[in-house]
Amino acid sequence: MKEYSIVTKSRDETHELGEKLGRSAQPGMVFLMNGDLGAGKTTLTQGIGRGLGVKKQITSPTFTIMKIYHGRLTLYHIDAYRMEGIDQDLGFDEYLNDDGLTVIEWSQFMPALIPDEYLSVTITLLDEDQRQFDMNAAGERYERLLEELK
Ligand SMILES: Nc1ncnc2c1ncn2[C@@H]1O[C@H](COP(=O)(O)OP(=O)(O)O)[C@@H](O)[C@H]1O
Ligand SMILES: [Mg+2]
């Protein structure tokens, strides 16, 4: 399955969606997240952390650019919001070959980090509590991941 869309009606439902992704994630995977401020990128990542068994509270990495959490896989949580227009190699790409899971919020602002294969998640704010998640799988591993979400 290359594409999958789902609407969640609460923060809890988004956590559950993320949890499924976290449980199915495999070493070296990269999830790209885009969508307006407040869409739910960090909320989805919190669920992913839960699915990976991360105990620590996951918070927005906006001011630190990257935070690292330890679970079944190491979670590299990047927020590229402040990287818009900055075209420099900060060495983050080293993590993309790692055995961990890399989640990049605002990946559009860090095109150099986008690998050939990835799961992209575009989040649209429908109303106060409803969010639409449009997922796109590039690569077989990610297509299988979407199958598991159904
Ligand atoms: N269905 C939903 N899914 C995710 N977040 C939701 C939902 N409904 C309301 N929210 C709220 O929207 C906000 C999303 O914030 P956040 O995840 O930090 O967004 P982003 O990282 O995309 O800027 C949170 O305050 C959350 O409680
Ligand atoms: Mg965020």
Side-chain angles (χ1 to χ4, degrees):
M1 194 161 58
K2 281 194 160 51
E3 291 172 345
Y4 179 64
S5 293
I6 186 169
V7 172
T8 67
K9 295 185 166 57
S10 66
R11 182 171 157 262
D12 284 355
E13 277 187 30
T14 297
H15 278 157
E16 282 165 26
L17 175 64
E19 204 170 334
K20 283 191 201 169
L21 283 170
R23 278 200 299 266
S24 301
Q26 290 171 11
M29 281 190 159
V30 178
F31 295 169
L32 311 176
M33 294 188 192
N34 288 289
D36 290 343
L37 270 176
K41 302 178 292 298
T42 299
T43 303
L44 186 66
T45 307
Q46 287 168 346
I48 290 170
R50 211 182 271 182
L52 289 173
V54 170
K55 295 279 184 291
K56 233 179 136 192
Q57 172 72 16
I58 291 177
T59 54
S60 176
T62 302
F63 297 101
T64 45
I65 315 287
M66 180 169 74
K67 288 187 179 174
I68 299 177
Y69 301 90
H70 300 285
R72 175 178 66 83
L73 304 173
T74 301
L75 173 62
Y76 300 95
H77 184 197
I78 295 172
D79 188 323
Y81 185 62
R82 294 151 70 90
M83 303 301 289
E84 186 178 11
I86 298 175
D87 184 25
Q88 53 181 321
D89 183 358
L90 295 174
F92 286 125
D93 52 328
E94 283 170 33
Y95 291 106
L96 301 184
N97 300 318
D98 198 84
D99 285 341
L101 170 66
T102 304
V103 172
I104 311 174
E105 297 189 32
W106 298 100
S107 62
Q108 67 197 79
F109 294 150
M110 269 186 153
L113 276 191
I114 300 176
D116 292 340
E117 300 199 345
Y118 53 77
L119 178 75
S120 83
V121 184
T122 302
I123 311 175
T124 310
L125 248 142
L126 299 180
D127 66 27
E128 202 181 329
D129 293 318
Q130 295 199 55
R131 304 291 189 273
Q132 182 169 324
F133 295 80
D134 294 308
M135 306 191 202
N136 215 293
E140 266 179 47
R141 275 206 311 166
Y142 296 93
E143 288 184 32
R144 283 197 296 273
L145 183 76
L146 285 189
E147 294 289 343
E148 288 174 32
L149 270 190
K150 280 192 297 190

